[in-house]
Amino acid sequence: MERLLTEYRLGIDVGGTNTDAVILDNATLEVISAVKSPTTKQTSDGVLISIDQVLQAAQIDPASIRFAMIGTTHATNAILERRDLGRVGVVRVAAPATTAVPPLEGWPDDLKSAIGAHSAIVGGGFEVDGRAIADIDEDEIRAACRRMRGSVDAVAIVGVFSPVDVSQEQRAGEIVVEELGVPVSLSAEIGSIGLLERESATILNASLMQTLCSMADGLRRALSERGISAHMFFGQNDGTLMEVDYALRYPVLTIGGGPTNSIRGAAHLSGLRDGIVVDVGGTTTDIGMLIDGFPRQSSEPFTLGGVRTNFRMPDILSIALGGGTVVREASDGIRLGPDSVGYRLPQESLSFGGDTLTATDVALAAGLATIDSAVDVALSADLVTSSRRAIREVLEDAIDQMKLSAAAVPVILVGGGGIIVGDELHGVSEIVKPLNLGAANAVGVALGDIAGEVEKIVAGGSSRESMRAVASAEAVERAVEAGADPETVVTTSIEELPVSYMEGESVRIVARAVGRLRA
């Protein structure tokens, strides 16, 4: 029987192996239905299948779905696999200060080939205290654009210390749009202070603009074909959402969204705001720290596809342990992986008629779970005991690496491979296994918070209060731009870090604001 017409949210998480879909009540955020289906080569095909299945399970009118939230590894995979990337032109507004190291220096050759090698270093840039190194040379920028015409799909604009003063980047971007009419990515909006890491992050962002646009068009068609006219959002890697148009400007922010969605979903399903989330998949386990309902952010540079970047990323530890991990007996004990049967588990593991011993086989033999389609496998008690001990030791060591102290903390267990984890772990106060734990990633992306973040260096001379007020206002503005309801946006944190190598009392300030999605 069809439910009464109320409003719902559709959450979809497109992973490398499975596509998860959930429907939540828009008012209460209660899980109405959840499904898991294999990810397909053509992403939209797998999304259509998952939408059909979750609608069938929920028995609701597709027209009652008001919001659709998408979490995806599409951008990550495009970079790792060097496919479907746009051609990027790089304009570094930095001469004469940075000519010794050209753009794309140190990048893998195959990635450089995928996006092209169209770059120019033109006059401009600032000192760390905001003084101009050189004035911007507009004629030089226009000449660089003429050389790139017809050869690029987007342009990355990068300036020396542009987070201190973005004016030169903004003017260079205006010129590029006038000359080439292609999307522009400004580095001051993408990364932190370091020039080369920020430049790399901005180039990757520009290369993904076309990629995410194509995916968004496919998802829109998939939704439309099922009578869903919902407002669409993408999940970003701080555990919040961004509207489609905002996501198309900053596609690099979708990278790392999968583990983050699981952490947010784990918090919602368990009701806990702090702890450690252990997300066990078929091949890997992702472990992250939950702080006040959101994932802890990493302070370390992030390397993706061989490229070092400095845009924000969740602090996630991934280990080669999952439900499909191959278990081997060796002279020195049990060896776990690192290889896994992954999505081939239903064909290759012993419990499903295959010839490979996996962590799932051990869990079933130990009575940790039951699977209807599995067959009984005779494993020796010693093998089961030693395998469980090895799994436990790997998990305990990884959890200890993520903890802030030696004190025991709660662990929230999510993910389809969670059956390999027992009921006790050393250093853990309790193991929480919430309902719908297998769909935590899709639940997390559907929750609906919108965030804005700004990072800048403010030179000495300004009062502390005025610096904080300016940063807070800019963070709120970015949250509203990303799709937040202005009435609900609040500044959740402001960090101040003295810049010790500058004269005066200059401060690096990071402000973050969060609000509910705009109706």
Side-chain angles (χ1 to χ4, degrees):
M1 179 178 178
E2 184 174 300
R3 289 174 173 265
L4 294 176
L5 183 59
T6 56
E7 291 184 342
Y8 298 97
R9 298 182 182 189
L10 171 64
I12 300 173
D13 186 88
V14 185
T17 302
N18 290 304
T19 294
D20 295 312
V22 298
I23 289 178
L24 305 185
D25 184 292
N26 189 48
T28 66
L29 299 183
E30 172 194 359
V31 177
I32 305 302
S33 62
V35 301
K36 185 184 294 286
S37 61
T39 296
T40 56
K41 184 176 182 180
Q42 188 69 28
T43 303
S44 58
D45 293 341
V47 170
L48 275 173
I49 293 170
S50 65
I51 292 174
D52 288 340
Q53 292 178 348
V54 80
L55 287 174
Q56 177 63 31
Q59 290 292 290
I60 65 169
D61 182 352
S64 64
I65 296 177
R66 186 165 186 187
F67 301 106
M69 291 83 164
I70 315 297
T72 178
T73 59
H74 200 66
T76 304
N77 294 339
I79 293 170
L80 294 178
E81 298 173 18
R82 280 49 165 163
R83 60 171 174 78
D84 301 329
L85 296 174
R87 302 168 299 170
V88 180
V90 184
V91 177
R92 186 192 288 176
V93 186
T98 67
T99 55
V101 181
L104 304 176
E105 182 72 13
W107 279 46
D109 290 339
D110 57 347
L111 186 54
K112 284 196 290 187
S113 177
I115 67 170
H118 309 284
S119 64
I121 303 177
V122 301
F126 293 96
E127 300 284 1
V128 70
D129 61 1
R131 292 176 296 162
I133 295 174
D135 292 332
I136 191 171
D137 189 330
E138 297 193 3
D139 291 336
E140 200 174 7
I141 294 172
R142 293 185 189 278
C145 289
R146 288 193 290 272
R147 293 194 298 272
M148 296 178 186
R149 185 170 289 127
S151 300
V152 299
D153 303 304
V155 172
I157 309 291
V158 187
V160 176
F161 288 112
S162 58
V164 179
D165 189 332
V166 73
S167 59
Q168 290 187 351
E169 276 195 7
Q170 289 173 333
R171 180 55 189 147
E174 292 169 356
I175 295 170
V176 169
V177 171
E178 291 171 10
E179 292 287 335
L180 299 178
V182 298
V184 168
S185 183
L186 303 184
S187 77
E189 299 174 350
I190 301 297
S192 189
I193 297 299
L195 175 66
L196 297 181
E197 291 88 352
R198 173 164 43 89
E199 181 174 72
S200 293
T202 308
I203 295 169
L204 291 179
N205 188 72
S207 74
L208 292 167
M209 287 176 162
Q210 180 175 273
T211 305
L212 199 66
C213 183
S214 176
M215 182 186 185
D217 289 342
L219 289 170
R220 283 194 184 100
R221 288 193 299 271
L223 294 173
S224 178
E225 289 172 10
R226 293 304 182 267
I228 299 173
S229 57
H231 199 102
M232 197 164 79
F233 295 81
F234 276 95
Q236 54 180 328
N237 58 21
D238 64 353
T240 61
L241 299 173
M242 48 188 170
E243 286 187 307
V244 173
D245 290 344
Y246 190 87
L248 296 182
R249 288 170 53 195
Y250 307 111
V252 76
L253 296 182
T254 66
I255 292 174
T260 300
N261 292 337
S262 293
I263 293 173
R264 290 281 287 134
H268 178 71
L269 293 172
S270 68
L272 296 179
R273 301 285 294 175
D274 298 280
I276 288 181
V277 176
V278 176
D279 180 10
V280 187
T283 303
T284 61
T285 293
D286 296 321
I287 301 173
M289 178 68 74
L290 180 67
I291 300 177
D292 196 23
F294 285 88
R296 181 175 67 193
Q297 295 294 299
S298 175
S299 59
E300 298 296 321
F302 173 65
T303 299
L304 178 65
V307 178
R308 185 181 170 95
T309 69
N310 65 3
F311 66 97
R312 66 157 192 259
M313 282 293 294
D315 187 7
I316 301 293
L317 174 63
S318 295
I319 58 175
L321 176 66
T325 294
V326 178
V327 178
R328 296 181 177 88
E329 293 184 273
S331 57
D332 56 349
I334 295 295
R335 293 184 182 177
L336 301 174
D339 52 327
S340 168
V341 298
Y343 66 88
R344 304 185 307 277
L345 181 73
Q347 291 80 41
E348 297 189 12
S349 71
L350 294 179
S351 297
F352 295 94
D355 56 7
T356 303
L357 176 62
T358 68
T360 294
D361 298 319
V362 172
L364 294 177
L368 298 180
T370 59
I371 299 176
D372 291 341
S373 56
V375 299
D376 291 334
V377 177
L379 300 179
S380 71
D382 287 344
L383 175 59
V384 172
T385 300
S386 55
S387 297
R388 289 192 61 195
R389 184 187 305 117
I391 291 171
R392 177 172 174 163
E393 289 173 352
V394 169
L395 286 171
E396 289 173 346
D397 180 64
I399 290 170
D400 281 344
Q401 291 182 54
M402 296 300 293
K403 291 165 63 175
L404 299 176
S405 71
V409 297
V411 160
I412 309 167
L413 182 66
V414 296
I419 64 171
I420 71 172
V421 183
D423 293 325
E424 292 184 4
L425 292 170
H426 181 70
V428 171
S429 59
E430 63 175 327
I431 299 176
V432 180
K433 300 179 181 180
L435 292 175
N436 298 300
L437 58 84
N441 47 5
V443 171
V445 78
L447 292 179
D449 288 321
I450 307 287
E453 188 171 283
V454 64
E455 177 180 348
K456 59 196 310 179
I457 288 183
V458 183
S462 302
S463 71
R464 179 172 180 269
E465 292 73 16
S466 64
M467 289 190 300
R468 292 172 65 91
V470 169
S472 174
E474 290 187 17
V476 168
E477 183 180 347
R478 287 200 179 185
V480 172
E481 186 181 5
D485 181 351
E487 299 296 323
T488 67
V489 180
V490 295
T491 302
T492 57
S493 65
I494 300 180
E495 299 177 13
E496 300 176 49
L497 300 171
V499 184
S500 58
Y501 47 83
M502 288 176 58
E503 295 181 1
E505 299 181 353
S506 297
V507 173
R508 174 173 169 256
I509 209 163
V510 181
R512 175 178 169 82
V514 177
R516 304 303 297 174
L517 66 86
R518 186 163 50 238

